[in-house]
Amino acid sequence: HPLLVIYGTGSASTERISALRAAAHQIAGCGGPHYAELRHRFPVVADRSLTTEQAKSCNLILIGRPDENSVTARLFRRLPIAIYNDRLHAGDRKPLPINNRILSLLHPNPEYPQRLIYIVAPFTDAEGTVRFQREAQKYLIGSDGFDRGSQGDLVVQDLNQRIARQMQFNKRWKWS
């Protein structure tokens, strides 16, 4: 299925928007946590430019937090996670502080369940965002490494890739 990378434009900081756009292009060119360039890049669009036809026909990689990516914000309300008071709430697990961490989530698109979304959201300060943007592909989960079959559907990691939370859905997209 076609894949589309969408970066957020809702930040008040033009530097943050530029970093998210650069991260989207980095991910679109690498296609995974490796550093080799793909022969053909995946297309990249701004959140405000996503068309209904693109959303219906593509799996989406969403770059940016819900407060800066309007597509992420729209879908986030219908996902089995929430963020309150700078803490991630997922399943019956203890809330996890999200500051200075990067959230990754794979889930069916709530609007078009035959398609998938993959959110990559840096909850970082300006310095952390620059680090994220330089090597955004290394924060993707599940496409490289040992034990690929049991990679987490939800992963929260710091900028040094230390995992703070990893969760997996069951076959019915419920937390196992």
Side-chain angles (χ1 to χ4, degrees), residues 96 100-102 131 138-139 141 155-166:
L96 178 73
N100 295 313
R101 293 185 169 149
I102 298 166
R131 281 185 64 192
K138 79 178 188 179
Y139 300 103
I141 301 300
V155 174
V156 178
Q157 59 187 308
D158 67 17
L159 288 162
N160 295 315
Q161 294 183 275
R162 289 185 298 250
I163 295 175
R165 170 88 26 101
Q166 183 168 313

Side-chain angles (χ1 to χ4, degrees), residues 76-158:
F76 208 79
R77 294 180 284 257
R78 297 172 59 190
L79 297 174
I81 63 173
I83 297 174
Y84 301 112
N85 299 323
D86 297 324
R87 294 187 181 286
L88 172 70
H89 298 259
D92 59 1
R93 304 279 297 273
K94 180 179 175 184
L96 178 73
I98 196 78
N99 288 334
N100 295 313
R101 293 185 169 149
I102 298 166
L103 177 140
S104 299
L105 176 71
L106 175 69
H107 195 272
N109 185 329
E111 294 176 345
Y112 306 102
Q114 74 282 11
R115 300 284 178 223
L116 294 172
I117 59 169
Y118 184 77
I119 297 171
V120 183
F123 287 84
T124 55
D125 60 13
E127 181 182 327
T129 302
V130 170
R131 281 185 64 192
F132 166 75
Q133 167 251 301
R134 266 192 235 125
E135 300 180 312
Q137 75 279 5
K138 79 178 188 179
Y139 300 103
L140 300 176
I141 301 300
S143 57
D144 191 23
F146 177 76
D147 204 12
R148 292 181 196 187
S150 65
Q151 293 285 341
D153 296 309
L154 168 71
V155 174
V156 178
Q157 59 187 308
D158 67 17

Side-chain angles (χ1 to χ4, degrees), residues 50-60 109 112 114-115:
L50 179 69
T51 67
T52 302
E53 185 54 39
Q54 288 170 321
K56 280 184 188 178
S57 62
C58 295
N59 295 310
L60 307 176
N109 185 329
Y112 306 102
Q114 74 282 11
R115 300 284 178 223

